Amino acid sequence: MASSSSSSSSALSRISNLSRHFHQSDSKSSDNPQGAIDAPFRGLIKISTEVSAAMSRGHPVVALESTIISHGMPYPQNLETAKEVEAIVRKNGAFPATVAILDGTPCVGLNEEELERLSILGTRVRKTARRDIAQVVAGKGNGATTVSATMFFASRVGIPVFVTGGIGGVHRHGEKTMDISSDLTELGRTPVAVISAGVKSILDIPRTLEYLETQGVCVAAYRTNEFPAFFTETSGCKAPCRVDTPEEAAKLIDANMNLGLGSGILISVPIPKEHSASGSLIENAIQSALQEAREKNIVGNAETPFLLKRVNELTQGASLASNIALVKNNALVGARIAVALAKLRVQ
């Protein structure tokens, strides 16, 4: 088995080759024949040939974020997971559209070379929220999109369903620090349905739900009355709304779109029982990681990646395994919701 340093060196040596192919691939992808993309953004956002063709035919498309690839896990596990998630979306009747910024160009839908390039670069790619988009584009940089940035691009090109692992939220002690994820304000102003496993349990879940209510965001739980807490099925917080089938979820999304409410929808899917990590094990690890973050003065958008990595170390890999399992489950549910929505909107 090769050492991590030699694997990294070998992987990095391929980046230039992958970069060389980037602007040559999908040469027709920005055409978007049906014009689903907002007119002012045409030519600024690159849509893959597959995604563009699917959208032009009214086929269901699911947007996927890319931060989980760059910052969620090491190479090559991140690439394997990204491919598996896309395969799950396809198997369940929809087309995946992973979103990222490559060489300053926002991309909706990545080919295999682009996925590998992003995976190899890993944390050297800029973690890109809405506030960072202009900077990354202007500097012709590479950006892995978070929930807020992925929602922004999905909305601009007309993709109504987006799958992620878990959204950001109000950080613990957020009433003092005012550390609140831009995911929440994005949900309040961007009409995209976000399929997630709830809110990461490293955050303050009750305050996050309160903030979403203030933003006018419909929060629904899938086949449960309780809002899930990412690693575990329960949080102790009741979900404001419940949907039990992809069709019910699709009707909720369709009503939100038809009414022009202008806000997103959060559909929270509990992690499968067989992959649910021990709540007490995770909570103890979270408390320890939070203390370390405070001692090291790790704040802002650097805090969540640090906490997730540290919690994974403290749980000896249990939290990462759970993370991957829930993302795959969300992709399955999200694809089925996208298919139901596409059928509903052509009736």
Side-chain angles (χ1 to χ4, degrees):
M1 183 174 180
S3 66
S4 58
S5 59
S6 62
S7 296
S8 176
S9 175
S10 174
L12 285 170
S13 69
R14 302 208 301 277
I15 292 179
S16 58
N17 292 331
L18 294 172
S19 300
R20 204 173 301 132
H21 293 298
F22 171 62
H23 288 297
Q24 298 172 4
S25 64
D26 292 333
S27 59
K28 297 180 181 179
S29 60
S30 61
D31 295 343
N32 196 15
Q34 285 293 323
I37 188 171
D38 286 353
F41 298 94
R42 197 164 308 171
L44 298 178
I45 299 175
K46 173 177 173 284
I47 306 178
S48 74
T49 302
E50 179 187 47
V51 172
S52 179
M55 293 176 62
S56 70
R57 293 176 174 86
H59 295 164
V61 176
V62 173
L64 301 168
E65 60 148 298
S66 49
T67 299
I68 191 172
I69 301 172
S70 62
H71 291 71
M73 58 197 76
Y75 179 85
Q77 189 178 22
N78 55 356
L79 178 60
E80 294 167 359
T81 301
K83 288 182 176 179
E84 287 169 357
V85 169
E86 288 202 346
I88 289 169
V89 171
R90 288 192 175 94
K91 184 179 179 181
N92 286 276
F95 292 84
T98 300
V99 178
I101 301 174
L102 296 175
D103 297 333
T105 301
C107 301
V108 178
L110 302 183
N111 60 33
E112 287 192 20
E113 291 175 343
E114 292 160 353
L115 271 178
E116 184 171 7
R117 180 186 177 199
L118 190 66
S119 302
I120 294 171
L121 285 170
T123 55
R124 287 175 290 278
V125 175
R126 173 71 177 265
K127 184 180 179 184
T128 306
R130 172 191 269 257
R131 70 166 187 182
D132 308 303
I133 292 172
Q135 181 181 358
V136 175
V137 170
K140 297 189 181 303
N142 298 312
T145 54
T146 64
V147 169
S148 65
T150 307
M151 286 185 70
F152 172 82
F153 288 122
S155 176
R156 288 299 181 268
V157 303
I159 300 175
V161 177
F162 160 45
V163 164
T164 184
I167 67 164
V170 178
H171 282 251
R172 299 191 186 196
H173 310 293
E175 70 277 12
K176 298 177 182 177
T177 64
M178 295 300 292
D179 191 350
I180 301 171
S181 172
S182 61
D183 296 352
L184 305 187
T185 48
E186 199 66 39
L187 274 159
R189 64 184 170 187
T190 302
V192 170
V194 179
I195 317 301
S196 84
V199 176
K200 297 181 180 74
S201 47
I202 59 176
L203 305 170
D204 187 325
I205 295 176
R207 284 191 171 92
T208 297
L209 289 171
E210 286 289 345
Y211 196 90
L212 285 169
E213 189 275 332
T214 300
Q215 292 290 314
V217 177
C218 176
V219 177
Y222 190 73
R223 296 179 178 173
T224 180
N225 292 318
E226 187 165 348
F227 188 75
F230 195 68
F231 291 120
T232 59
E233 300 169 87
T234 60
S235 66
C237 300
K238 188 178 185 300
C241 175
R242 171 174 175 157
V243 290
D244 287 301
T245 65
E247 290 73 23
E248 286 184 13
K251 289 177 182 178
L252 186 65
I253 297 167
D254 188 54
N256 187 69
M257 295 167 66
N258 290 338
L259 289 167
L261 291 172
S263 55
I265 292 177
L266 177 61
I267 298 178
S268 304
V269 183
I271 184 172
K273 289 182 184 295
E274 63 270 26
H275 296 291
S276 180
S278 167
S280 59
L281 173 68
I282 296 290
E283 185 58 32
N284 289 337
I286 287 172
Q287 291 301 330
S288 178
L290 283 167
Q291 182 61 35
E292 287 186 40
R294 285 192 290 269
E295 291 172 354
K296 295 179 179 179
N297 196 31
I298 298 173
V299 297
N301 66 2
E303 184 177 23
T304 296
F306 170 81
L307 291 174
L308 291 175
K309 179 181 178 182
R310 193 69 186 105
V311 168
N312 184 57
E313 292 169 349
L314 293 170
T315 60
Q316 299 182 335
S319 65
L320 179 57
S322 294
N323 196 344
I324 293 172
L326 66 84
V327 169
K328 291 179 178 179
N329 186 56
N330 291 347
L332 182 152
V333 174
R336 291 177 178 175
I337 290 173
V339 168
L341 180 62
K343 290 179 180 178
L344 183 64
R345 296 188 70 80
V346 296
Q347 288 178 357

